[in-house]
Amino acid sequence: MIKESPNIKLLNSLLKDRILFLDGAMGTMIQRYKLEEDDFKGEQFKDHDILLKGNNDLLSITRPDVISAIHEEYLLAGADIIETNTFNANSITQEDYKLAHIAYDLNLESAKLAKAAVNKVMSDNPSRQCFVAGALGPANKTASLSPDVNDPAYRAVTFNDLVDSYYEQTKGLVEGGVDILLAETSFDTLNLKACIFALEKYFEDTGARLPVMLSVTITDASGRTLSGQTIEAFWYSIMHARPVSVGINCALGATEMRPYIKTLSKIADCHISCYPNAGLPNPLSETGYDEKPEETSGFLEEFAESGFVNIVGGCCGTTPDHITAIKEKLKTKAPRTLPKKAAGVKTSGLEPFRVSG
């Protein structure tokens, strides 16, 4: 029998009363430190035979002071939930740096850093209730699409490869002390289903279920994921996971994201998360994005007033200033009310298919 973590009940209780706030971009904040190759390699990897600059997840081991400082900034900005620095800390993605063998350690140490930051803030402010979400990124290989246009049947990764990688990542995150598991920025639903399978296997093996949050990326104005699904089809593909929340993050700014959040908010019988980029990318901008805190927060305020969201935060280009502005504008807004689950059979391919009850 699988025992549910008390955090599932606690999160659902809090989400009935108010909107919760996620943190913002980790990569954007790391860029501010202008770190060099020696920072990424540290003493631990100084003899590694390839360049490691840009492997941000590695900083949890080589520059934990930087990652801890970023966590604390977001918590002080008002985040209720901070994410671990583990977006690419899976063995499949880390293979690019010849570091697949340290994936477990990356997740363990990243989770410990985030948990320490949360515990410190809650100790200093006993009225606050904060959580650590273990971030599981989409991996850098897709199970649905071939990377070779001359061989459409070829796949660079198998479903089982992804399951094994996500299981190892989950183990490190949970043993490091995370409160929630957040599979985010999903561009391929099959990759996400492998992650869900790994989570369920881990819950069965350990006898304990943590809260699960899922977040998808709509890649462009087509309104579809990279693997071709509409937002409704995506939900029907993963709703069996019974997540605490489902949502959209990355790729788009809030303005472009609005129609898809609106659709998801109508059909999903769980809480809705939304953490957009700070507008669309601008390579000439210092952060790569132009949208100011008052702009992003204004868009999300309208989402709240429209009854679309339960959890909000920021993705690429957002900073603690964005989170402060978002919380200030949304802290008194009512959270979205969960709709009743519609009767009937719901399934999907690229498009949704419904049989009414």
Side-chain angles (χ1 to χ4, degrees):
M1 182 177 177
I2 301 176
K3 183 179 180 180
E4 287 195 342
S5 161
N7 284 325
I8 295 177
K9 185 176 181 180
L10 177 57
L11 279 168
N12 283 321
S13 175
L14 290 171
L15 286 163
K16 284 182 181 179
D17 294 333
R18 66 179 181 92
I19 291 172
L20 295 186
F21 300 95
L22 275 166
D23 58 7
M26 175 62 74
T28 298
M29 295 298 291
I30 288 174
Q31 287 175 18
R32 291 184 169 185
Y33 285 83
K34 303 187 185 305
L35 302 177
E36 299 297 337
E37 182 68 17
D38 288 346
D39 294 294
F40 286 86
K41 283 191 171 179
E43 284 297 311
Q44 301 92 327
F45 304 99
K46 64 181 180 180
D47 297 324
H48 199 63
D49 60 356
I50 65 171
L51 297 177
L52 296 178
K53 185 177 179 180
N55 187 2
N56 288 346
D57 308 71
L58 192 57
L59 296 171
S60 295
I61 292 176
T62 59
R63 287 299 304 271
D65 57 315
V66 170
I67 303 306
S68 294
I70 293 170
H71 286 323
E72 289 189 30
E73 281 195 68
Y74 277 123
L75 288 164
L76 294 176
D80 300 300
I81 303 169
I82 61 167
E83 296 185 48
T84 54
N85 178 40
T86 53
F87 185 78
N88 287 311
N90 60 78
S91 59
I92 291 170
T93 304
Q94 286 297 316
E95 186 58 42
D96 285 356
Y97 296 99
K98 297 184 181 180
L99 291 175
H101 61 287
I102 68 162
Y104 170 83
D105 294 323
L106 285 178
N107 288 279
L108 182 73
E109 296 306 319
S110 295
K112 287 180 178 179
L113 289 178
K115 193 65 174 180
V118 160
N119 287 341
K120 179 178 184 298
V121 168
M122 289 197 297
S123 176
D124 293 342
N125 303 273
S127 62
R128 291 192 64 181
Q129 180 68 60
C130 301
F131 303 89
V132 174
L136 300 116
N140 62 349
K141 295 179 181 178
T142 167
S144 291
L145 305 172
S146 172
D148 184 354
V149 295
N150 297 311
D151 186 2
Y154 173 71
R155 296 294 181 269
V157 69
T158 69
F159 186 88
N160 287 340
D161 290 338
L162 288 163
V163 170
D164 291 344
S165 181
Y166 280 126
Y167 187 98
E168 178 185 39
Q169 186 173 15
T170 300
K171 185 174 187 291
L173 290 169
V174 175
E175 292 181 358
V178 302
D179 306 299
I180 302 164
L181 291 161
L182 169 55
E184 62 178 353
T185 323
S186 172
F187 60 82
D188 182 347
T189 309
L190 190 56
N191 282 39
L192 181 58
K193 288 171 82 71
C195 183
I196 292 169
F197 188 93
L199 295 178
E200 289 296 328
K201 186 175 187 300
Y202 185 81
F203 297 156
E204 288 183 8
D205 289 348
T206 60
R209 179 184 300 278
L210 270 67
V212 171
M213 298 171 62
L214 306 175
S215 189
V216 67
T217 290
I218 300 298
T219 53
D220 53 36
S222 70
R224 295 176 182 270
T225 64
L226 186 64
S227 55
Q229 282 191 311
T230 67
I231 193 66
E232 186 175 0
F234 165 79
W235 168 240
Y236 296 156
S237 294
I238 55 88
M239 63 182 185
H240 64 281
R242 294 172 292 141
V244 168
S245 70
V246 67
I248 306 175
N249 77 291
C250 208
L252 304 176
T255 300
E256 297 79 18
M257 199 178 279
R258 189 184 191 282
Y260 316 119
I261 279 288
K262 179 180 179 181
T263 296
L264 191 59
S265 72
K266 289 180 178 179
I267 60 174
D269 60 345
C270 64
H271 302 290
I272 296 293
S273 68
C274 178
Y275 48 118
N277 290 348
L280 295 177
N282 176 7
L284 300 179
S285 170
E286 182 181 356
T287 64
Y289 296 85
D290 288 330
E291 208 167 84
K292 304 302 181 186
E294 58 270 22
E295 296 173 287
T296 305
S297 60
F299 294 135
L300 290 174
E301 180 182 31
E302 189 273 324
F303 286 12
E305 291 172 346
S306 297
F308 295 164
V309 293
N310 304 98
I311 304 170
V312 295
C315 204
C316 303
T318 60
T319 66
D321 288 341
H322 286 79
I323 302 308
T324 297
I326 290 167
K327 184 161 189 176
E328 186 61 30
K329 286 191 177 178
L330 276 72
K331 64 184 179 183
T332 60
K333 304 297 180 184
R336 163 182 169 271
T337 301
L338 273 60
K340 291 183 179 180
K341 188 173 183 179
V345 176
K346 304 173 191 67
T347 186
S348 64
L350 298 183
E351 306 286 340
F353 181 76
R354 301 174 298 278
V355 180
S356 300

